[in-house]
Amino acid sequence: MEKEAPEKSASFVCREEQPNISDTTDTPPPEPTAKADDKTDDKNGDEEKEEDDEKEKKEVEDKTEENKENNNEDEDQTLPDEADEDPLTALQKLSEDIDRFVVSSQEPNAKTNGQIDDNENDDHVSPEVPEFVDKFLELIEEMVEKHDSGEGKVKWNKLSEEGSSSFLEAVDRISKLNNKLLEMKLEGETHGLLINRVGSIHHRAMVYLEEEFRWLLMEESKTDIHDSDPGGDNNNNQKGKPEQHDSCPMPGSESAKDEAADFPGYTNDVVSKLHKIAKEMILGGYEWECLEVYMNARRIAFEDSLQRIGCEKHSIDDVHKIQWDALERDIGSWITALKQCSTVLFSCERKLAEAVFSDYPSISTDIFSCLIRGIVIEFLNFCEGVSMSKCSAEKLFKTLDMYETLRDMVPKMDALFPEDCASELKKDATLTRSRLGEAAISLFCDLENSIKSDTGKTPVAGGAVHPLSRYTMNYLKYACEYKDTLEQVFREHSKIERADSTSRPHGHDYEVEATSMNQNNDSDKQSPFSVQLMRVMDLLDANLEVKSKLYKDVALSSIFMMNNGRYIVQKIKGSTEIHEVMGDTWCRRRSSELRQYHKNYQRETWSKLLGCLSHEGLNVHGKVPKPVLKERFKSFNAMFEEIHKTQSTWVVSDEQLQSELRVSISAVVIPAYRSFLGRFSQVLDPGRQTEKYIKFQPDDLETYIDELFDGNPMSMARRRQ
């Protein structure tokens, strides 16, 4: 009978079967002797039988050993060929076997020869694992070791396209093989060790990919950004060019500039590598690790970008502790940052997420939404902190800047964010914007409190423009540069403003003025902001009226009201925005009030002086009594000197008003004095008497009048020296 040696399949490893003597020898065993069959033979026959058995056993063992040596020789002949084979080629061949094994539809208990051993119980049959799996694992283990070997790790960006693709394909097969082995529910210690080995290789490969994924996200972006911004000065926002900071092109490369325009700091090649690694990690069951690395890396990169333009991360509590000067700078950086985010960074971040996770749209949407939601919430928290900070009128303008920035961003959210995320963020942003609007109204209305609380009892020297007038009008001038925004704010929050105003304490005089003003204007045709502005002007007028009464000299009181009135009118006329709100009617009425103050001044000061030049009482029976005339000249001289001494210290800063006052005084005084002097100077005796009583010539009076309102006191005695 011809022997057939056990055949080893290329796909499956068979369990060892007990060799059959008839199957493991090339020649049939020797025929048993008759003595061996005859059980009645004597003792010598038994001994011969034992010898024959020993000889037969030895022949079988020798033949088996010979077969083993032949098999080993065959294997030794093939090993040199396998050793000489290129690892990539060997890996490719084994990969094809692995692919067939993974997708194989064979039953778990299939034999290498495709048959089922009927002598075995199916319930206890363990599925077989092909022997090429071990060889495949060895090659993959070497590959992983080569890539992930301590300090000498191969960075992903240094791998060739073929090398990186080959590694990813190998890791992909390890992932599928791992899943296949787990599905097979292998039993036994050997199979358990195999599963552990596959799992260990798979885990190490995934850890390596995770590290490379992190490295590409952090270092590649960091390098590109720093190279593209050598100056590092991002605090100066170049209007109309917000994308310069964010596109992050590599210097000297036009193609890189075009590529980086789509992603925040990455070339298309890097994004392609990130996509491949992310895909493999997700397929390999490492989705959570992949997304965590991506989220952390992009959040750090985003915060780094914001810090470079001066936008620091602040909690609500931090904002409350910051001094206003520092907070004002932070607000400017916040505005710059949010504008760049809404115009460039958010859009680039979305494109990056969609590119890296292009095979998983739901993941890219979720991870982008999660990342951006956190960043936007930080922006909004800063707003919340500012809106809740201590009320102070000078904070209005920065608050309005923030309001406008947030207002302009909200409509863009539909295009920037996924629908669910956009809806949520728009709701939060709108609520925060409303709080900023309420804060702006409160800050503007705090101007009323500033006016009311200015109850100083010390008059301004020389009747000059009061600091309250300067502060209020400059404040309103700048506020009206935000006229459209303030109109919107007061229109949307007018009920809040009214409730806030009614809760404030009012002085009786101020309330009367405000009420009178409202009665003189058709408030139904005015915007809420216009009405509020009128209220402020009424309060300022009433306060100035009270302060004018602090002057004991009525003429100086009139000068004070003229100074402040002219200053207010000039400020309004000099600002198109505030003039549009106040209107021509208000300006004409204020100009009319100024003329009345001018008349009051003329009456209180110069009417008394002109009384000295009256002809009444100087003609007695056709003669002019010298004592009376001398007294008239003496009174005039003394009174004019006193007026000059006093009113040269008064201040009229508006040159036009100063000139108008001097011209009007000269027009009244000089003609009257010239006429009086021409008629009565001859009555006095020439010489010493004339010099004693006639101290001024008409030209002298004009010179002295031109020295009034300079705020520079000078006695006439010094003037004459």
Side-chain angles (χ1 to χ4, degrees):
M1 178 176 169
E2 185 177 355
K3 167 187 169 291
E4 292 182 3
E7 181 180 355
K8 292 186 178 181
S9 170
S11 300
F12 295 90
V13 177
C14 296
R15 292 192 301 272
E16 293 289 339
E17 296 183 4
Q18 293 296 329
N20 190 321
I21 294 177
S22 62
D23 294 336
T24 56
T25 58
D26 293 332
T27 58
E31 293 289 338
T33 62
K35 292 182 181 180
D37 295 332
D38 190 358
K39 294 183 181 180
T40 61
D41 287 344
D42 56 13
K43 182 177 179 180
N44 292 332
D46 293 336
E47 291 176 356
E48 291 178 1
K49 180 179 180 182
E50 290 178 2
E51 291 177 0
D52 293 339
D53 291 341
E54 288 295 333
K55 184 184 294 185
E56 179 180 332
K57 182 177 180 181
K58 185 176 180 180
E59 289 178 357
V60 171
E61 289 177 353
D62 292 341
K63 196 65 176 179
T64 303
E65 185 66 26
E66 182 182 352
N67 290 337
K68 289 183 178 179
E69 290 176 358
N70 291 335
N71 290 336
N72 289 336
E73 289 176 359
D74 294 339
E75 291 178 0
D76 292 339
Q77 291 176 358
T78 59
L79 284 177
D81 295 337
E82 293 178 358
D84 295 339
E85 190 175 27
D86 179 43
L88 289 178
T89 303
L91 179 61
Q92 184 176 4
K93 292 180 179 179
L94 289 172
S95 297
E96 294 174 357
D97 292 334
I98 292 293
D99 290 341
R100 285 193 294 270
F101 170 66
V102 169
V103 300
S104 174
S105 60
Q106 290 179 307
E107 294 297 328
N109 60 347
K111 294 291 183 178
T112 56
N113 57 5
Q115 297 177 352
I116 298 177
D117 190 351
D118 296 332
N119 296 325
E120 293 182 353
N121 190 338
D122 290 345
D123 294 338
H124 299 285
V125 172
S126 178
E128 300 300 338
V129 177
E131 67 173 1
F132 57 75
V133 169
D134 285 334
K135 185 61 177 177
F136 176 76
L137 293 179
E138 290 176 5
L139 292 176
I140 296 300
E141 207 163 14
E142 291 176 4
M143 180 180 288
V144 174
E145 181 68 25
K146 177 183 176 182
H147 286 75
D148 184 22
S149 55
E151 297 296 329
K153 291 182 180 180
V154 179
K155 292 302 179 185
W156 197 260
N157 65 334
K158 295 181 181 179
L159 290 175
S160 65
E161 182 68 24
E162 182 181 2
S164 61
S165 298
S166 176
F167 184 82
L168 287 175
E169 289 174 1
V171 174
D172 180 64
R173 288 188 175 90
I174 285 289
S175 299
K176 294 177 179 177
L177 179 60
N178 188 46
N179 294 334
K180 178 69 174 180
L181 294 177
L182 292 175
E183 291 175 2
M184 292 172 67
K185 299 180 181 180
L186 299 174
E187 299 177 357
E189 182 179 354
T190 303
H191 292 155
L193 292 174
L194 176 63
I195 292 175
N196 289 340
R197 183 186 180 191
V198 173
S200 176
I201 297 173
H202 179 253
H203 176 71
R204 185 172 181 183
M206 284 299 171
V207 170
Y208 170 74
L209 288 180
E210 180 181 340
E211 292 176 357
E212 294 306 301
F213 192 60
R214 179 184 292 105
W215 189 87
L216 285 172
L217 283 168
M218 298 292 290
E219 297 301 322
E220 286 296 303
S221 175
K222 184 177 180 181
T223 300
D224 289 350
I225 290 175
H226 289 177
D227 288 344
S228 66
D229 186 23
D233 184 8
N234 292 302
N235 291 322
N236 297 325
N237 183 28
Q238 299 183 15
K239 189 175 182 181
K241 298 182 179 180
E243 66 277 5
Q244 286 188 351
H245 168 70
D246 305 295
S247 60
C248 308
M250 291 294 287
S253 173
E254 292 298 327
S255 61
K257 291 180 181 180
D258 294 337
E259 290 177 354
D262 290 333
F263 308 112
Y266 302 101
T267 63
N268 286 343
D269 180 57
V270 172
V271 173
S272 176
K273 293 175 180 178
L274 290 170
H275 163 251
K276 292 176 180 178
I277 295 177
K279 179 180 180 181
E280 192 53 52
M281 290 185 70
I282 294 172
L283 287 174
Y286 280 68
E287 176 181 336
W288 187 89
E289 290 81 357
C290 175
L291 300 186
E292 183 184 35
V293 169
Y294 184 88
M295 279 286 294
N296 290 338
R298 290 313 304 156
R299 180 177 291 278
I300 291 172
F302 218 107
E303 290 177 353
D304 185 57
S305 297
L306 297 180
Q307 285 180 354
R308 283 198 303 277
I309 57 178
C311 185
E312 298 290 337
K313 182 179 179 181
H314 295 301
S315 66
I316 295 177
D317 291 337
D318 292 338
V319 175
H320 294 167
K321 298 174 184 177
I322 301 175
Q323 296 295 325
W324 173 245
D325 290 343
L327 184 59
E328 194 171 17
R329 292 191 295 270
D330 288 340
I331 291 175
S333 299
W334 180 93
I335 291 171
T336 300
L338 187 58
K339 286 181 178 179
Q340 289 201 19
C341 285
S342 61
T343 55
V344 177
L345 293 182
F346 287 159
S347 178
C348 288
E349 199 65 39
R350 182 171 185 175
K351 290 179 180 178
L352 178 64
E354 290 174 346
V356 173
F357 302 100
S358 59
D359 295 299
Y360 307 95
S362 61
I363 291 180
S364 69
T365 298
D366 291 343
I367 200 168
F368 169 75
S369 300
C370 185
L371 173 65
I372 298 305
R373 183 185 294 109
I375 294 170
V376 173
I377 292 301
E378 289 178 6
F379 276 113
L380 298 181
N381 284 341
F382 183 81
C383 286
E384 294 279 355
V386 172
S387 66
M388 293 188 295
S389 61
K390 185 178 179 181
C391 190
S392 180
E394 65 269 15
K395 297 180 181 180
L396 172 67
F397 310 112
K398 284 298 181 182
T399 302
L400 289 174
D401 287 338
M402 297 179 73
Y403 180 92
E404 291 178 345
T405 303
L406 204 54
R407 176 197 63 192
D408 296 341
M409 178 189 173
V410 170
K412 300 177 182 178
M413 288 185 172
D414 288 328
L416 288 173
F417 311 126
E419 184 176 354
D420 293 342
C421 181
S423 177
E424 179 183 347
L425 290 180
K426 283 175 67 176
K427 185 183 298 183
D428 292 340
T430 301
L431 180 60
T432 301
R433 181 173 65 90
S434 297
R435 289 174 180 167
L436 284 174
E438 294 172 13
I441 289 177
S442 180
L443 291 171
F444 188 87
C445 291
D446 193 63
L447 181 62
E448 296 181 23
N449 286 342
S450 299
I451 296 172
K452 295 172 188 177
S453 61
D454 193 323
T455 56
K457 300 300 181 182
T458 303
V460 178
V465 177
H466 197 280
L468 179 63
S469 297
R470 295 185 184 277
Y471 172 78
T472 302
M473 294 312 300
N474 285 326
Y475 189 91
L476 293 179
K477 178 179 181 294
Y478 288 121
C480 285
E481 292 181 3
Y482 297 85
K483 183 175 72 70
D484 294 339
T485 301
L486 282 169
E487 293 280 11
Q488 177 184 359
V489 167
F490 274 92
R491 183 171 58 252
E492 293 180 357
H493 306 282
S494 58
K495 292 182 180 180
I496 297 174
E497 184 274 325
R498 289 274 71 82
D500 182 68
S501 296
T502 55
S503 64
R504 299 172 185 267
H506 295 282
H508 176 71
D509 293 338
Y510 301 152
E511 189 67 24
V512 170
E513 286 291 334
T515 303
S516 175
M517 190 67 197
N518 288 332
Q519 290 176 349
N520 293 332
N521 291 276
D522 187 2
S523 59
D524 293 337
K525 296 181 180 180
Q526 292 179 313
S527 68
F529 173 63
S530 298
V531 173
Q532 186 65 31
L533 191 60
M534 293 294 184
R535 286 167 56 84
V536 172
M537 295 306 302
D538 281 345
L539 290 172
L540 178 60
D541 288 344
N543 190 301
L544 293 174
E545 189 68 33
V546 172
K547 294 184 184 304
S548 70
K549 293 180 172 60
L550 298 175
Y551 297 99
K552 296 179 180 180
D553 191 328
V554 178
L556 181 56
S557 176
S558 296
I559 290 292
F560 173 79
M561 294 302 292
M562 273 191 288
N563 270 326
N564 285 273
R566 175 59 69 93
Y567 177 82
I568 291 171
V569 169
Q570 291 301 105
K571 279 289 183 179
I572 291 176
K573 288 183 177 180
S575 171
T576 303
E577 293 81 7
I578 194 172
H579 185 265
E580 289 178 356
V581 176
M582 301 305 296
D584 291 330
T585 301
W586 187 93
C587 291
R588 285 194 296 268
R589 187 177 67 253
R590 181 51 60 93
S591 297
S592 177
E593 293 174 358
L594 290 177
R595 287 192 293 271
Q596 186 60 46
Y597 288 126
H598 192 164
K599 291 179 181 179
N600 293 341
Y601 163 76
Q602 292 276 39
R603 183 176 64 252
E604 291 295 329
T605 301
W606 303 104
S607 294
K608 295 178 180 179
L609 181 67
L610 292 176
C612 297
L613 302 178
S614 174
H615 293 186
E616 186 177 353
L618 292 179
N619 191 346
V620 180
H621 304 296
K623 295 182 178 181
V624 179
K626 286 186 179 182
V628 177
L629 182 60
K630 291 178 182 180
E631 188 62 30
R632 290 288 183 89
F633 274 109
K634 186 178 179 179
S635 297
F636 179 86
N637 294 337
M639 190 175 295
F640 187 81
E641 286 180 355
E642 181 63 25
I643 291 174
H644 180 273
K645 178 182 177 180
T646 301
Q647 297 195 13
S648 62
T649 64
W650 293 1
V651 178
V652 177
S653 54
D654 183 84
E655 294 182 359
Q656 183 179 353
L657 177 60
Q658 187 185 72
S659 177
E660 290 175 0
L661 285 170
R662 290 170 178 174
V663 168
S664 65
I665 293 168
S666 297
V668 172
V669 174
I670 293 177
Y673 183 74
R674 182 179 284 113
S675 174
F676 186 84
L677 188 63
R679 182 170 181 179
F680 298 107
S681 62
Q682 298 176 358
V683 176
L684 299 177
D685 296 335
R688 185 176 179 181
Q689 194 176 58
T690 301
E691 293 176 359
K692 181 180 179 179
Y693 293 104
I694 303 177
K695 293 184 177 182
F696 303 105
Q697 294 298 319
D699 291 343
D700 296 331
L701 291 180
E702 186 171 1
T703 299
Y704 290 131
I705 289 172
D706 287 343
E707 294 175 352
L708 300 178
F709 316 121
D710 274 338
N712 185 24
M714 181 180 292
S715 66
M716 290 185 178
R718 290 176 58 194
R719 179 73 172 80
R720 290 169 180 167
Q721 290 178 355

